[in-house]
Amino acid sequence: MASSGRSDPAAIAQALGAARAAGQAFDPLTRFGPLSLEAGYAIAALRCDPAQAAAYKLGGTTGATRTAFAVSRAYAGALCADQLIKDGQDLPTGLINPVVEPEILLAFDRPFAPQRAARSVQALRDELAWVGIALEVPATPVSGLPQTGVGWLLADCCAAGALVVGEQLSPAHLDTLSQARVTLQVGTRTSQGEASRLLDGALGAMSDILAVFGQLGWAVPAGIPFATGGLAPALPIGAGETVQAGFAGPGIELSISTRLCEEG
């Protein structure tokens, strides 16, 4: 894929990695200029090999993210295995400007080869292995988002910081989760949301992103979770704070939590 900007994808990937490791702000436009979506995905693939991804986080699945990044469809970033933690465990230290948002997880019992044509929602439903809830924790050194453009968000694996994975539920719970109301609390701050924030539903978001992956030539292993988009406005989390999200739907009440430890 061709890149745009003043350097090649490998140099940008290296610069992003160095900024993350140092915990320093990264001014993308001053250093390199704007990036196209294609360039952003190419750089992300150098930073986390899609074939080795342990999970994916989706964006562009709600009206808020589509408006903020001026997009009309889903986009995604890969997470590596060390970025996944279990419900109740502490977040890793060193996250840069982290925020938290509650999401629905989907995982499938088959791998997906690259396919440009959209898969139907019903076909995806039939291939579900499990569903669940998650706390997605975006964290990025890239300054100026969203004004710097979605290409730079993609280049940093969609601000992949951490993903807190909750209990795995049977696929039959998806319909209930899709009707859930959500409360997110970080310290003393609270935000409210609901699963209906996903414009095309969780499965519709998956259909869209798999078509994008088909255009990129990316394959998806079986069993890895996809966080399908924020169900409540994201809240920042600071050192020493605890976060908890509650999901309440017809006949179901679920919660998930984590904490950002004090460093040192």
Side-chain angles (χ1 to χ4, degrees), residues 56-70:
Y56 278 97
K57 51 170 290 186
L58 274 59
T61 60
T62 68
T65 53
R66 288 188 184 181
T67 298
F69 286 97

Side-chain angles (χ1 to χ4, degrees), residues 26-56:
F26 180 90
D27 184 345
L29 298 184
T30 299
R31 292 188 63 178
F32 295 103
L35 288 178
S36 67
L37 271 69
E38 292 80 5
Y41 275 122
I43 294 161
L46 294 174
R47 305 194 61 243
C48 182
D49 183 352
Q52 302 298 318
Y56 278 97

Side-chain angles (χ1 to χ4, degrees), residues 65-92:
T65 53
R66 288 188 184 181
T67 298
F69 286 97
V71 297
S72 60
R73 65 182 312 184
Y75 49 83
L79 293 102
C80 298
D82 62 357
Q83 294 174 300
L84 272 61
I85 65 173
K86 294 180 180 179
D87 179 15
Q89 291 185 333
D90 291 342
L91 292 169

Side-chain angles (χ1 to χ4, degrees), residues 134-159:
L135 292 170
E136 202 260 301
V137 188
T140 181
V142 177
S143 61
L145 291 170
Q147 289 77 16
T148 52
V150 71
W152 276 106
L153 180 69
L154 294 173
D156 197 37
C157 298
C158 288

Side-chain angles (χ1 to χ4, degrees), residues 18 45 105 109 165 203:
L105 290 181
D109 60 10
V165 178
L203 288 171

